[in-house]
Amino acid sequence: MSLQLAPTARYRKDYKPPSFNILSVDLQFYLHDTNTRVVNTMQIERQVEGADLVLDGEKFELVSVVLNDTPLVAGQDYQWSETALTIYNAPEQFSLTIENKINPSANTALEGLYKSAGVFCSQCEAEGFRFITYFLDRPDVLAVYTTTIYAPDNGEYPYLLSNGNKLAEGKTENGLHWAKWHDPFPKPCYLFALVAGNFDCLEDSFTTAEGRLVQLQLFVDKGNLSQAGFAMASLKNSMAWDEKRFGLSYDLDIYMIVAVDFFNMGAMENKGLNVFNAKYVLADPASATDQDFINVEAVIGHEYFHNWTGNRVTCRDWFQLSLKEGLTVFREQEFSADMGMRAVNRIQDVRIIRTHQFEEDAGPTAHAIRPDKVVEMNNFYTVTIYNKGAEVVRMLHTLLGEEQFQAGIQEYISQQDGKAATCEDFVQAMEKVSGKELIQFRRWYSQPGTPEISISSCFKRRNKTFSITIAQASDKPSNAPFHIPIKVEFITASGESIHPPELAENGLIELTEPIQTFDFTGFNEAPVVAPLANFSAPVKLTDHRESSELITITRYATDPFLRWDAVQQLYVQALKDAIEQNAEVALPSALIEALQAALLDNHADPAMTALLLQTPSEEGLATEFHSIPVEGIERVVTELHALLSRALHDELIAAWQRTSAQYVASDIAGRMLSNTCINFLSSRHNSEQVAQAISQQFAAKQSMTLVFGALQAAVHNEHPLAKELLARFESDWCQAPLVMDKWLAVQATTRSAHTLERVQLLMAHPAFNWGNPNRIYALLASFSHNFSQLHRADGAGYRLLIAAIKRLNTANPQVASRLLSPLLKWQRLDTTRQALLRELLTELRAMPNLAPDLFEKIEQSFAD
Ligand code: B3K
Ligand code: ZN
């Protein structure tokens, strides 16, 4: 047993303003692979009488401390530990110069300053600045930064970049060159950035609504310029959109984006200098799928939108993370919707919430969007903080309407610009402009869990009234009732839409009580109730609905989400019934007919047809059960796929022929449907027609969407062509790591008994690399979401993942922690799997030097 101190938790209720303020920072970096010297001069002001100055700092070597030109003496004037530097008797106002040395090459955790693939790069959010130098590493300390970077003038680092505007550059006599940057906007240290390397640079410009000319620079690895154009166009679209929809313009004279190969997450919104995972920058049709393009546009937008919601107005403490992330995801979603396919985007966003956020809320790491307790902040970049956070902002938008919501945003920004704010500040701004009381609505910020809604109705023919009674319950017993916006449609059996006078124009009902009845008049017959249009609240509907009602909604609801959702409910009910009754999966014939008709309809939106055919994933279906029936889920999902392949065969062939016949770059919806069809068709192994279709689609070299769609269909359906196509794809793309990630992922996500052995072999393949997060996500995170193979009865899936987590524990804890999440729901599994996982997690917990990221999650999973 190693004697380790358990990492300590921090609580939201303990927030105290800082005892000192740092007004400005002057940083000098002398870059060196293993011995980078940092000279950090801060102008500091005391806020609290008598307090010591305690600066955060870890994992570097302290060289010297100088206060107002006087060198300080260790032990006498200051003391340092593994994590902090304490300065005694600091005056009211002073300058403090700290010199320290760091080793960027040894930094495999990719947090702080690191060197990978020849590039120096920083990542400071959430608490990584403390790995660079001593500082008050908390988001409510806002300082003005001046940064000078010195590097060897040997051609390896022609670009020396930091936040803000470049003031000067030059060369020294001893073979270095340098660049000096100044960012006039006070910012928290998590937004600091430094990049040094050799890149190709795509240049452009944007003129803001106020007439300011902004220089745009996009840096990519040498040779990748031809794949940078879409990201640049997306940046310009984001800048224009934020002006038009939110009235927000860019504020500096330059905006830079650097794409790097080694990065733990998608991208980072550092002020004026975004750092991006290359995956979210590089895209051309031959090597990137349509979804990749959509992701690039969304992430470029997201980081750009942070300039106001995150940077100009930042967070007071990390418990408020959703203040910037939930709001920025909402802005990103609206941007994507305005740019492209609103209904399709909304449905995809809802799938994320239902599959992943509901899952998180039902498990041991459930937390409110504004959590109360945190051990490792990096564990809180979750689908709850981000995506449920965005749903909460969306509910405010629904309750207030676009106009008042935008007024609320203006109010929030004018009150908080240049400050570190709280979620409470945001809600108050919305309350102030709208006059709407949001006391109860605030529970969405403080209570975790997914509310469960059930609806009953009563029709009285005599006075033509129709009432609906809505009850809300919570999966968390201590929760008080939520304020839930529910948009409804009423539809008659013949498809007529009824809008009673008592119903608000936008169909909005506000549920605030545990149970509440709403009365409507003017009904000649009992209508079908279609609740939760546009998924107006992140809740579960628990009623068992009649198939005939769901079919009516599918046919006639005006809201596309409702039409899609009714089909989803039909699938889920069929799958659950088949598991519970241990019977074969059966779908209502009206549903099959509706799907057949949609596939044959030349005028239907092919994207919507593709989404109607998107059946629940195994993971998604598992969220429907408290005790997860692994084998049952695996069986019924397989059966449903086979059933639809059979029942729709002719229509799938017809739709595939129609949509894949010719390539038009803009026909994203058509390709969605081609890929859906080829995926169902590929389960037919003996059809020459299907084999030809797969080969033909795989040959569409101008479109990675089609090539990869064919490959995925063949591999996932274990079609006889799969092996050959995998080999051809590998030889075509072995020089392109981001494309090879797809090759790794498609194999790791195959629901086949051979997958685990295949993943094991792939860990030794040259396309895999334990040091690069993208490769780990492609192979191992993909496998961790391969439900039936992860949960193999012999425990081999668990062992594979736990071994990978152990290997990454010290090398890259953030990545390790992401792989752990799917294993935490052991309490919902059967006793054999519970025992297997308990043992493995207990063993992991006993590891020496267990990362706090892993410690926190394991403890949570053992807590109740
Ligand atoms: N703010 C960053 C995420 C930082 C994650 C730190 N572990 C990206 C984003 O949400 O825009
Ligand atoms: Zn963000």
Side-chain angles (χ1 to χ4, degrees):
M1 260 311 272
S2 63
L3 275 180
Q4 308 176 44
L5 286 181
T8 44
R10 287 168 285 174
Y11 296 86
R12 183 165 66 87
K13 64 176 169 43
D14 293 340
Y15 174 80
K16 282 197 190 66
S19 305
F20 289 83
N21 246 345
I22 303 177
L23 306 176
S24 66
V25 196
D26 187 299
L27 291 165
Q28 295 182 332
F29 286 87
Y30 296 86
L31 295 178
H32 182 279
D33 285 4
T34 55
N35 195 13
T36 289
R37 195 155 72 88
V38 186
V39 182
N40 160 16
T41 302
M42 296 166 276
Q43 301 305 322
I44 305 181
E45 207 173 64
R46 175 180 287 281
Q47 302 294 311
V48 174
E49 221 32 64
D52 288 333
L53 172 61
V54 185
L55 298 168
D56 306 294
E58 284 178 50
K59 297 186 185 158
F60 55 68
E61 186 192 327
L62 175 62
V63 178
S64 63
V65 186
V66 175
L67 193 148
N68 286 341
D69 299 327
T70 309
L72 297 190
V73 179
Q76 176 188 311
D77 305 318
Y78 68 89
Q79 194 62 264
W80 50 273
S81 70
E82 296 259 286
T83 56
L85 172 73
T86 305
I87 313 258
Y88 305 124
N89 305 318
E92 287 299 301
Q93 275 207 334
F94 56 100
S95 122
L96 188 69
T97 300
I98 289 168
E99 189 176 327
N100 63 290
K101 287 181 169 171
I102 43 188
N103 182 351
S105 298
N107 183 352
T108 57
L110 312 183
E111 201 183 6
L113 180 68
Y114 59 92
K115 186 166 185 204
S116 295
V119 174
F120 283 97
C121 175
S122 65
Q123 170 55 37
C124 295
E125 187 177 358
E127 297 176 322
F129 195 72
R130 64 185 63 194
F131 304 133
I132 294 180
T133 181
Y134 281 114
F135 206 76
L136 292 173
D137 190 356
R138 45 188 288 169
D140 58 350
V141 172
L142 308 185
V144 172
Y145 284 67
T146 307
T147 306
T148 314
I149 309 166
Y150 295 84
D153 191 16
N154 57 6
E156 284 183 51
Y157 316 103
Y159 292 102
L160 305 175
L161 312 174
S162 192
N163 316 84
N165 300 311
K166 202 197 284 183
L167 295 183
E169 59 194 331
K171 292 177 193 280
T172 67
E173 281 166 4
N174 52 353
L176 301 179
H177 71 138
W178 57 270
K180 184 171 186 166
W181 295 83
H182 178 73
D183 178 4
F185 292 97
K187 65 167 175 289
C189 64
Y190 82 84
L191 290 172
F192 168 81
L194 179 159
V195 175
N198 191 5
F199 304 100
D200 276 341
C201 176
L202 181 63
E203 295 256 6
D204 209 323
S205 68
F206 180 85
T207 306
T208 67
E210 298 132 19
R212 170 204 287 279
L213 181 69
V214 182
Q215 185 187 5
L216 309 177
Q217 292 187 321
L218 183 49
F219 298 92
V220 294
D221 281 353
K222 284 270 168 200
N224 285 345
L225 219 43
S226 64
Q227 294 181 69
F230 183 77
M232 181 61 91
S234 301
L235 174 60
K236 290 162 77 177
N237 287 336
S238 310
M239 297 176 91
W241 180 86
D242 213 14
E243 293 189 336
K244 191 157 169 254
R245 180 92 188 259
F246 279 77
L248 298 171
S249 288
Y250 189 61
D251 50 10
L252 282 164
D253 300 329
I254 183 165
Y255 192 88
M256 295 172 284
I257 294 176
V258 187
V260 298
D261 301 324
F262 285 72
F263 206 62
N264 279 343
M265 63 266 173
M268 178 64 213
E269 69 264 25
N270 315 300
K271 181 79 188 186
L273 175 58
N274 288 183
V275 176
F276 267 63
N277 186 327
K279 177 180 164 66
Y280 295 108
V281 171
L282 302 177
D284 63 23
S287 68
T289 61
D290 294 330
Q291 191 57 51
D292 291 328
F293 276 87
I294 290 167
N295 294 344
V296 167
E297 183 180 75
V299 181
I300 292 268
H302 181 105
E303 306 312 329
Y304 174 72
F305 304 140
H306 268 315
N307 190 54
W308 279 100
T309 51
N311 301 4
R312 286 286 288 261
V313 180
T314 195
C315 300
R316 186 193 72 174
D317 53 70
W318 287 119
F319 299 101
Q320 318 291 330
L321 178 62
S322 199
L323 173 68
K324 75 175 176 82
E325 294 305 347
L327 177 53
T328 304
V329 171
F330 171 78
R331 277 151 56 65
E332 165 209 322
Q333 289 175 349
E334 284 300 294
F335 168 60
S336 299
D338 284 346
M339 296 299 291
M341 307 180 282
R342 178 168 283 274
V344 171
N345 285 346
R346 184 68 189 134
I347 288 167
Q348 284 167 340
D349 293 339
V350 173
R351 261 182 93 95
I352 294 174
I353 289 280
R354 284 187 174 160
T355 310
H356 302 295
Q357 201 282 323
F358 286 3
E359 169 77 14
E360 187 163 81
D361 250 346
T365 59
H367 50 277
I369 66 165
R370 185 187 54 203
D372 291 319
K373 176 186 172 187
V374 165
V375 172
E376 170 51 60
M377 193 52 215
N378 285 325
N379 277 344
F380 284 80
Y381 289 76
T382 59
V383 69
T384 298
I385 301 284
Y386 274 64
N387 300 64
K388 185 175 176 186
E391 292 302 315
V392 172
V393 173
R394 184 173 294 282
M395 286 191 284
L396 284 170
H397 184 268
T398 304
L399 287 166
L400 268 59
E402 169 78 0
E403 208 173 305
Q404 287 194 343
F405 178 84
Q406 289 296 350
I409 293 282
Q410 290 303 324
E411 169 70 17
Y412 164 67
I413 285 182
S414 66
Q415 289 292 320
Q416 305 298 337
D417 189 11
K419 297 190 192 146
T422 61
C423 297
E424 175 59 28
D425 294 325
F426 183 75
V427 179
Q428 272 180 19
M430 291 292 161
E431 232 165 13
K432 188 171 166 198
V433 296
S434 65
K436 192 166 177 74
E437 203 239 272
L438 296 169
I439 298 279
Q440 188 181 357
F441 186 85
R442 282 168 170 78
R443 290 183 187 150
W444 285 107
Y445 286 89
S446 56
Q447 298 185 156
T450 308
E452 292 173 349
I453 302 291
S454 62
I455 303 181
S456 58
S457 61
C458 173
F459 171 59
K460 291 204 178 114
R461 191 173 299 278
R462 202 163 4 114
N463 41 13
K464 297 187 169 189
T465 60
F466 186 69
S467 332
I468 55 174
T469 299
I470 313 183
Q472 60 167 310
S474 176
D475 55 347
K476 307 275 181 276
S478 59
N479 277 358
F482 287 91
H483 179 173
I484 305 176
I486 300 178
K487 279 192 167 185
V488 290
E489 288 187 20
F490 297 116
I491 309 163
T492 66
S494 57
E496 202 192 329
S497 168
I498 311 269
H499 201 106
E502 297 79 7
L503 184 63
E505 204 184 325
N506 59 1
L508 185 63
I509 290 175
E510 296 185 34
L511 178 69
T512 52
E513 305 292 327
I515 183 158
Q516 218 169 333
T517 298
F518 302 87
D519 300 316
F520 303 99
T521 58
F523 286 86
N524 293 320
E525 58 179 293
V528 171
V529 184
L532 226 55
N534 201 35
F535 196 61
S536 58
V539 300
K540 274 187 185 172
L541 288 169
T542 53
D543 302 307
H544 195 278
R545 304 288 302 263
E546 290 300 323
S547 304
S548 57
E549 287 193 350
L550 292 170
I551 295 284
T552 301
I553 298 175
T554 300
R555 288 213 179 109
Y556 303 117
T558 54
D559 177 57
F561 164 78
L562 284 176
R563 296 198 297 271
W564 170 82
D565 189 39
V567 173
Q568 288 300 306
Q569 288 183 51
L570 286 164
Y571 289 141
V572 169
Q573 281 182 193
L575 295 170
K576 283 173 85 170
D577 288 350
I579 292 176
E580 274 150 23
Q581 292 153 22
N582 203 13
E584 220 174 292
V585 176
L587 290 179
S589 54
L591 173 59
I592 304 273
E593 283 154 24
L595 294 172
Q596 285 169 334
L599 280 165
L600 294 179
D601 184 353
N602 286 338
H603 303 293
D605 174 3
M608 285 307 293
T609 306
L611 290 175
L612 293 181
L613 286 161
Q614 201 176 39
T615 53
S617 66
E618 289 173 320
E619 265 194 326
L621 189 56
T623 65
E624 297 284 330
F625 295 90
H626 183 69
S627 300
I628 302 172
V630 176
E631 279 77 14
I633 288 176
E634 188 182 358
R635 171 180 71 84
V636 297
V637 165
T638 308
E639 278 181 23
L640 178 59
H641 184 73
L643 185 161
L644 288 173
S645 307
R646 253 189 340 265
L648 305 175
H649 181 264
D650 295 348
E651 293 79 10
L652 287 165
I653 292 272
W656 182 83
Q657 283 170 342
R658 198 172 68 237
T659 51
S660 67
Q662 61 196 44
Y663 176 77
V664 181
S666 60
D667 188 13
I668 297 176
R671 284 187 291 278
M672 274 175 77
L673 187 53
S674 307
N675 281 345
T676 305
C677 294
I678 202 78
N679 181 39
F680 281 112
L681 291 168
S682 298
S683 64
R684 286 228 156 176
H685 293 178
N686 300 324
S687 155
E688 188 47 38
Q689 192 183 20
V690 168
Q692 263 184 23
I694 298 173
S695 301
Q696 187 186 323
Q697 190 176 319
F698 186 77
K701 297 238 178 223
Q702 74 278 46
S703 167
M704 177 54 75
T705 308
L706 293 173
V707 171
F708 186 69
L711 178 72
Q712 178 158 294
V715 174
H716 282 181
N717 287 285
E718 299 183 80
H719 191 275
L721 281 171
K723 220 172 153 191
E724 181 197 328
L725 299 193
L726 276 170
R728 278 169 52 194
F729 192 92
E730 181 185 1
S731 85
D732 286 348
W733 294 105
C734 57
Q735 300 304 325
L738 289 173
V739 183
M740 286 304 280
D741 284 346
K742 300 182 193 305
W743 183 84
L744 293 171
V746 75
Q747 298 179 74
T749 47
T750 302
R751 300 167 58 245
S752 144
H754 308 295
T755 294
L756 189 136
E757 285 68 29
R758 187 70 200 147
V759 170
Q760 231 132 19
L761 288 175
L762 288 172
M763 284 193 273
H765 190 278
F768 185 71
N769 172 357
W770 282 102
N772 188 312
N774 284 356
R775 306 299 94 82
I776 298 172
Y777 297 144
L779 187 64
L780 299 174
S782 295
F783 178 76
S784 78
H785 294 289
N786 183 340
F787 180 84
S788 55
Q789 299 316 303
L790 174 69
H791 295 289
R792 259 171 63 149
D794 62 1
Y798 304 150
R799 284 193 291 277
L800 181 143
L801 210 55
I802 292 278
I805 292 166
K806 284 185 174 170
R807 180 170 180 155
L808 291 164
N809 169 53
T810 40
N812 192 331
Q814 276 185 55
V815 172
S817 176
R818 283 220 210 168
L819 297 181
L820 183 60
S821 291
L823 299 179
L824 300 174
K825 56 168 169 283
W826 57 270
Q827 299 200 25
R828 287 168 58 211
L829 297 164
D830 52 76
T831 48
T832 318
R833 290 184 172 90
Q834 282 202 17
L836 285 164
L837 270 173
R838 264 192 93 97
E839 192 184 324
L840 287 166
L841 290 170
T842 309
E843 197 184 296
L844 181 62
R845 182 164 60 171
M847 245 188 119
N849 302 320
L850 182 70
D853 316 54
L854 299 175
F855 170 84
E856 179 173 36
K857 287 188 177 175
I858 301 172
E859 287 304 295
Q860 285 171 322
S861 92
F862 282 125
D864 2 85

